[in-house]
């Protein structure tokens, strides 16, 4: 399974942006495309941020630990006028391996929330990782494993937790492995053995399934106990019936008056 190098790269970027840590930056790696640009005297560093020729953009360059030249670029948009004028971060890109080319770029909306990220995780000059954000959390990650420019693995997240994964193992453009997660843990996996687009076999994590079932039964029992307790309490608090009260009145059938005293 491919490691999310861009996420580690962004952690490094945080350091480069003044995080205060002293972790070592990865050594430069050979990249023919970058070397050719250097030989031609080109200043192109593979930037994907939109700022060139735009008056409404401000660029800030900074140098991270171990770098001999700026390797972090922030692009700000200038919004509003007068007292309402402000700068908003729209784009940030980093050269994580210090080879002269930006290999991670993240864009933001006008509220400062991350929108998406692209990365060249193997430093071959081509984007192979695409990340989408929602509400400041990762919602979707696409990975290209064979360098053809198309995602071979897609990961979906719900509230920051991995929800499902689909993979194209034979690189025909169609998913043939599906993974379903519950609370971030793998629950079951479907496999398309003949690559016809349909699941032929489902493999289940029996231990996780048993734990989930036990947890569900425990919650159902807890709910039933709570309901029974509420019913018992309501019964105990109910007023007593009049039938339980002691009746001190004379019996209804006793209507005879006492006999008069005998005359002398």
């Amino acid at each position: 399974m491919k490691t999310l190098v861009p996420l580690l790269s962004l952690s490094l970027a945080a350091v480069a942006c003044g995080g205060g840590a002293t972790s070592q930056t990865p050594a430069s790696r050979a990249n023919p495309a970058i070397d050719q640009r250097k030989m031609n005297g080109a200043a192109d560093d593979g930037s994907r941020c939109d700022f060139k020729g735009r008056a409404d953009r401000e660029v800030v360059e900074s140098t991270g630990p171990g770098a001999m030249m700026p390797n972090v670029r922030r692009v700000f948009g200038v919004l509003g006028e007068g007292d309402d004028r402000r700068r908003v971060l729209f784009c940030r890109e980093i050269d994580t391996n210090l080879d002269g080319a930006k290999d991670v770029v993240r864009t933001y909306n006008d509220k400062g929330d991350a929108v998406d990220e692209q990365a060249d995780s193997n430093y071959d000059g081509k984007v192979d990782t695409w990340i989408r954000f929602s509400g400041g959390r990762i919602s979707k990650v696409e990975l290209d494993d064979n360098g053809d420019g198309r995602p071979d693995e897609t990961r979906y997240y719900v509230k920051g937790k991995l929800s499902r994964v689909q993979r194209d193992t034979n690189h025909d453009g169609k998913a043939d492995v599906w993974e379903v997660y519950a609370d971030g843990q793998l629950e079951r996996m479907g496999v398309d053995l003949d690559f016809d687009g349909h699941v032929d076999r489902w493999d289940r994590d029996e231990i996780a399934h048993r734990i989930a079932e036990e947890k569900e039964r425990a919650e159902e029992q807890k709910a039933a106990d709570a309901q029974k307790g509420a019913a018992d309490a309501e019964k105990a608090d109910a007023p007593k019936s009049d039938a339980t009260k002691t009746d001190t009145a004379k019996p209804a059938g006793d209507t005879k008056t006492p006999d008069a005293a005998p005359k002398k």
Side-chain angles (χ1 to χ4, degrees):
M1 183 178 294
K2 189 172 183 181
T3 303
L4 290 183
V5 176
L7 300 182
L8 300 179
S9 301
L10 285 177
S11 297
L12 175 62
V15 174
C17 296
T22 58
S23 58
Q24 186 175 358
T25 305
S28 299
R29 295 176 58 179
N31 189 324
I34 300 300
D35 293 340
Q36 186 63 44
R37 285 203 294 268
K38 291 180 179 178
M39 291 177 61
N40 295 335
D44 181 17
D45 62 358
S47 174
R48 297 182 181 86
C49 287
D50 180 19
F51 66 92
K52 295 179 181 179
R54 297 193 55 165
D56 60 342
R57 294 289 186 267
E58 292 184 5
V59 180
V60 176
E61 305 274 357
S62 57
T63 304
M68 301 301 295
M69 57 186 300
N71 68 317
V72 180
R73 176 182 293 133
R74 295 185 183 90
V75 177
F76 295 87
V78 181
L79 305 178
E81 297 180 357
D83 294 339
D84 295 331
R85 183 181 175 87
R86 68 188 190 281
R87 294 194 316 167
V88 177
L89 179 64
F90 277 165
C91 187
R92 181 178 65 184
E93 52 188 353
I94 310 121
D95 172 13
T96 62
N97 67 334
L98 308 181
D99 66 351
K102 298 295 189 293
D103 40 67
V104 177
V105 57
R106 178 178 289 191
T107 59
Y108 303 80
N109 59 24
D110 56 6
K111 296 181 180 179
D113 298 327
V115 175
D116 58 37
E117 179 180 310
Q118 297 181 11
D120 171 15
S121 64
N122 59 2
Y123 308 116
D124 65 352
K126 297 183 294 184
V127 172
D128 52 39
T129 304
W130 300 265
I131 302 176
R132 292 286 299 177
F133 296 86
S134 177
R137 293 177 173 179
I138 293 177
S139 61
K140 182 180 179 181
V141 177
E142 296 177 295
L143 305 172
D144 175 16
D145 291 327
N146 64 346
D148 64 355
R150 299 186 305 177
D152 304 304
E153 179 178 324
T154 304
R155 305 175 184 178
Y156 298 92
Y157 294 78
V158 176
K159 295 181 179 180
K161 290 186 177 182
L162 185 61
S163 175
R164 57 191 174 94
V165 176
Q166 59 186 42
R167 295 191 179 90
D168 175 13
T169 62
N170 66 340
H171 308 295
D172 66 350
K174 298 182 299 182
D176 47 64
V177 174
W178 296 264
E179 296 176 358
V180 180
Y181 291 77
D183 198 27
Q185 298 295 321
L186 179 62
E187 185 178 70
R188 64 184 186 274
M189 179 174 68
V191 182
D192 176 10
L193 300 175
D194 54 7
F195 305 112
D196 65 349
H198 301 285
V199 175
D200 297 307
R201 186 188 73 226
W202 280 103
D203 297 326
R204 185 186 298 274
D205 186 339
E206 295 299 336
I207 296 178
H209 181 60
R210 185 171 65 252
I211 293 175
E213 285 187 336
E214 292 175 353
K215 182 179 179 181
E216 184 177 354
R217 284 196 297 268
E219 291 177 349
E220 290 177 352
Q221 185 61 48
K222 182 178 180 181
D225 292 343
Q227 185 175 4
K228 183 176 182 300
D232 291 343
E234 183 178 356
K235 183 177 179 181
D237 292 340
K240 294 182 179 180
S241 172
D242 291 340
T244 61
K245 296 181 179 179
T246 302
D247 189 355
T248 58
K250 184 182 295 184
D254 189 9
T255 59
K256 184 185 297 184
T257 57
D259 292 337
K263 295 181 179 179
K264 293 182 178 180

